[in-house]
Amino acid sequence: MRMLVLGAGLQGSACAFDLLQNPDVVEVRLADLNVSHLPAFLAPYTDAAKLAGAKPRLLPTPLDAKDTEAVRALMRQSDAVMSALPYYFNGPMARHAVECGAHFCDLGGNTEIVFEQKQLDAAAKEAKVSVIPDCGLAPGMVNILAQHGIDLLQRDGADVQSVRIFVGGLPQHPEPPLNYQIVYSLEGVLDYYTTLSWVVRDGKRHQVRALSEIEPVAFESHPELGTLEAFHTAGGLSTMGFRYEGKIPTMEYKTLRYPGHAQMMEAMRELGFFGLEPVEVKGVRVVPRDVALALMQPRLTKPQGRDLVALRVVVEGTKGGTAVSRGWELVDRYDDTRGVSAMMRTTGYSLSITGQLQASGAIPAGVCTPDECVPAERYVAELAKRGIEIEPIA
């Protein structure tokens, strides 16, 4: 298999690393504007091969994602394309991949773009390739687990009543005042904190304010985490809320943080610090969010910080008047041996697993989200091989 990874940031690098663990992957092109400063865990796949006089399996490749011809030339040489670029590239990249005859998956994060990608379904089937948006942690892993729970309850003859998803990337050693460290794009975090979130209530889709309806969440098997707080943010349900409107009464996605985080971020939002409209400051027009990012980025970047990912998915229903449920939990931590963060493991590895399933022929041609087409048990087994242990809730 020849694989192309677009985007050499944290998630793209983790995806490339995971691909290289499969001997059937003979080539991984990791493409971005700048590929001169890759993480140390990728060095053995370029340096060792060069020293041995062999052709490296990892090929860092300079690429401007806006250069259509260059992008398409690389796609024509690839069996599958995994995109870890910013979400606004996902639409055109999916289209290029279909037209070049390559499988495609991305990290998603924007539901409107997912619906745009769905329009490629007929073309993808004709090209005999698959396109899967939303293949990271959330959306991605959590949606696969949610669908698995729905399927299991329905196969057992139960009526599904609710789907509740909780997930968060957290520092193992929180520091005030926000008890948070950057584990992916801070700009993306602020987007989620300022965008209305879709939920399903009484079988109908509604939008609720981000950072609202805070509730406590404790992981009994991991008491060291203490009690976390959960609150609404956008994007995690993706298209599931649309698919199950009128079919499942309640569906919602919430982000996990240490207590007090949501209230502080809500106060900053309401004071206008995350606004996108320029304001005048001493005769200079500035965008409040740009200032917030400039101030927060260096303070929340912890080069020596160790992160964790906490996840819970619970699907509940009734059978013969009796309450039944299926659920899963995960607490994954920074890989000290390789220097790979928990967020990179759960997001970048998930993208890699999906791309490999596509290239191996395990996914039918067409456009589908992970919850619609990724075989859950096989996916969970692949995660376990990587030490990402998803545990059923008793």
Side-chain angles (χ1 to χ4, degrees), residues 156-179:
D156 198 35
D159 292 323
V160 178
Q161 298 296 317
S162 70
V163 175
R164 305 191 73 208
I165 299 170
F166 306 89
V167 65
L170 302 162
Q172 293 186 28
H173 305 288
E175 299 177 9
L178 294 179
N179 293 323

Side-chain angles (χ1 to χ4, degrees), residues 212-233:
S212 68
E213 299 184 9
I214 300 170
E215 64 177 293
V217 175
F219 287 73
E220 293 183 5
S221 57
H222 295 274
E224 72 279 6
L225 298 182
T227 299
L228 304 175
E229 67 178 18
F231 49 84
H232 292 293
T233 57

Side-chain angles (χ1 to χ4, degrees), residues 77-328:
Q77 303 172 44
S78 308
D79 296 309
V81 180
M82 286 127 280
S83 178
L85 294 171
Y87 71 86
Y88 44 80
F89 283 105
N90 291 341
M93 292 300 155
R95 185 177 66 254
H96 294 326
V98 170
E99 293 173 356
C100 293
H103 299 289
F104 178 86
C105 59
D106 64 46
L107 294 177
N110 184 287
T111 305
E112 290 183 7
I113 291 177
V114 175
F115 281 119
E116 291 176 14
Q117 291 170 300
K118 287 273 191 176
Q119 302 304 310
L120 296 169
D121 184 63
K125 288 176 178 175
E126 184 176 352
K128 298 181 180 179
V129 298
S130 59
V131 173
I132 312 180
D134 288 348
C135 296
L137 169 62
M141 185 187 300
V142 295
N143 307 78
I144 295 170
L145 293 174
Q147 184 62 53
H148 190 40
I150 293 169
D151 291 341
L152 290 175
L153 285 190
Q154 290 181 338
R155 289 172 192 168
D156 198 35
D159 292 323
V160 178
Q161 298 296 317
S162 70
V163 175
R164 305 191 73 208
I165 299 170
F166 306 89
V167 65
L170 302 162
Q172 293 186 28
H173 305 288
E175 299 177 9
L178 294 179
N179 293 323
Y180 183 73
Q181 71 183 44
I182 294 172
V183 291
Y184 63 98
S185 165
L186 182 58
E187 191 164 4
V189 172
L190 297 189
D191 278 341
Y192 292 142
Y193 287 178
T194 54
T195 304
L196 292 174
S197 174
W198 283 108
V199 299
V200 176
R201 288 180 177 165
D202 298 322
K204 297 180 180 179
R205 281 184 300 113
H206 299 275
Q207 287 186 303
V208 296
R209 288 171 64 84
L211 302 169
S212 68
E213 299 184 9
I214 300 170
E215 64 177 293
V217 175
F219 287 73
E220 293 183 5
S221 57
H222 295 274
E224 72 279 6
L225 298 182
T227 299
L228 304 175
E229 67 178 18
F231 49 84
H232 292 293
T233 57
L237 275 183
S238 186
T239 58
M240 290 191 80
F242 294 81
R243 286 178 57 216
Y244 283 107
E245 184 176 17
K247 300 175 183 177
I248 295 178
T250 301
M251 298 186 79
E252 65 179 29
Y253 167 89
K254 287 187 173 182
T255 288
L256 294 171
R257 294 285 186 262
Y258 291 109
H261 179 91
Q263 186 176 21
M264 284 186 281
M265 298 304 285
E266 183 180 32
M268 293 175 67
R269 182 188 67 192
E270 296 308 304
L271 287 169
F273 286 97
F274 304 152
L276 296 174
E277 292 298 320
V279 298
E280 187 169 320
V281 181
K282 295 184 177 181
V284 179
R285 301 284 287 175
V286 297
V287 176
R289 187 178 297 194
D290 290 345
V291 177
L293 287 167
L295 290 170
M296 295 169 67
Q297 190 95 26
R299 290 167 173 79
L300 296 180
T301 299
K302 312 287 185 181
Q304 304 305 315
R306 301 293 185 259
D307 73 325
L308 64 87
V309 165
L311 170 156
R312 176 181 293 163
V313 176
V314 179
V315 181
E316 297 178 318
T318 58
K319 180 181 179 181
T322 301
V324 292
S325 68
R326 292 284 187 143
W328 295 270

